[in-house]
Amino acid sequence: MTCDRSTPRARLATAIAVASLAGTALAEHPSLAVADSRPLGHDVSSYQKQIDWRAARAKGARFVYVKATESAGYPNPYFSAQYDGSRAAGLLHGAYHFAVPSASSGTRQARYFLQHGGHWKADGWTLPPALDIEHNPYDARQPCFGLGRTALVRWIRAFSDEVRRSTGRRPVIYTTTRWWDRCTGGSRAFGANHPLWLADYSGTAQTPAGWSYPTIRQYASHGPLPGDQDRWNGTLAQLRKFADG
């Protein structure tokens, strides 16, 4: 994922997995999925600016997550063009929020996200909202944003509750196993009903506590598709059911 204001891109291996118990479709276990048939996707931000979406689809893209917001004051200026353009090209699309827990509450940032593109609708094309929560790109000495483990778990819960209240869906959680274990203490509070988007560029990382396997894996920071490279851990039919909710 990216922190794309005036700072360098902040990418970490992350993932999305296990679909929500509230009506979302579970992806196949990795051992049951045929690698070549699992849909490819990518995630983009303002860093990519204008994108040739038809070319991305021709190269295999079937879904995309577009950065909508960061903290409670930064909207991606290219969001509408990227989000609408991807849909027009035939890609399933979703919006994600880059969390800065030290800046304001989870509830406030969720509301800002929802006001600037983070809403979900049951149109068969819209993926559930996603929360990008990872290392602090603004201060390497404070990777957990200066918050304790209990406080971070509460922050994530507040963000999730606000998204659920407004959209009816729990957000996908994008994170890395290393960050999750360090900053939440390996919390198991979200695995049962929050899909996991796991950034794992090696393919050997264990999933964070609470999840059995990733539903979406971010496997590279660059490749044939614009932005980070992702793969859905299941079939295209399952991906469409995931969008439907």
Side-chain angles (χ1 to χ4, degrees):
M1 291 294 196
T2 59
C3 168
D4 55 6
R5 286 188 270 185
S6 59
T7 61
R9 304 185 72 193
R11 281 200 181 92
L12 283 181
T14 6
I16 283 183
V18 184
S20 167
L21 295 179
T24 57
L26 290 174
E28 296 180 6
H29 188 280
S31 64
L32 301 179
V34 178
D36 290 345
S37 68
R38 291 179 294 177
L40 291 172
H42 54 137
D43 54 269
V44 300
S45 68
S46 66
Y47 188 89
Q48 282 73 40
K49 300 181 180 178
Q50 303 296 333
I51 296 170
D52 186 339
W53 291 106
R54 291 186 178 181
R57 195 179 194 288
K59 291 177 181 178
R62 294 297 178 264
F63 70 95
V64 66
Y65 265 98
V66 179
K67 180 175 181 177
T69 52
E70 180 176 325
S71 190
Y74 173 77
N76 173 7
Y78 295 93
F79 176 78
S80 293
Q82 292 174 340
Y83 195 72
D84 295 343
S86 59
R87 169 64 183 88
L91 275 68
L92 280 75
H93 62 177
Y96 79 86
H97 173 79
F98 189 94
V100 184
S102 57
S104 56
S105 70
T107 300
R108 181 180 178 188
Q109 290 192 32
R111 288 174 179 170
Y112 185 77
F113 173 51
L114 293 164
Q115 291 166 0
H116 293 84
H119 259 284
W120 172 80
K121 55 183 177 180
D123 59 358
W125 290 95
T126 305
L127 299 169
L131 171 65
D132 175 1
I133 188 154
E134 51 177 285
H135 78 295
N136 180 0
Y138 299 111
D139 187 349
R141 298 167 300 177
Q142 300 278 355
C144 305
F145 298 90
L147 275 67
R149 293 172 171 178
T150 299
L152 271 172
V153 169
R154 288 175 178 168
W155 193 99
I156 297 167
R157 174 60 66 187
F159 184 97
S160 173
D161 286 348
E162 185 63 21
V163 170
R164 176 75 170 83
R165 184 193 67 78
S166 183
T167 70
R169 301 290 300 267
R170 288 289 183 186
V172 166
I173 293 179
Y174 169 101
T175 194
T176 68
T177 300
R178 182 178 181 182
W179 185 91
W180 191 263
D181 288 348
R182 177 176 184 176
C183 295
T184 73
S187 173
R188 296 177 176 272
F190 303 95
N193 55 8
H194 291 72
L196 175 68
W197 184 359
L198 182 64
D200 170 19
Y201 295 2
S202 69
T204 60
Q206 294 183 343
T207 54
W211 287 280
S212 299
Y213 54 90
T215 295
I216 299 174
R217 177 185 162 211
Q218 184 187 86
Y219 62 88
S221 61
H222 62 278
L225 304 177
D228 300 312
Q229 312 296 291
D230 301 298
R231 188 181 289 277
W232 167 259
N233 189 23
T235 66
L236 182 59
Q238 288 173 317
L239 177 59
R240 293 191 179 281
K241 288 180 180 178
F242 182 64
D244 281 337

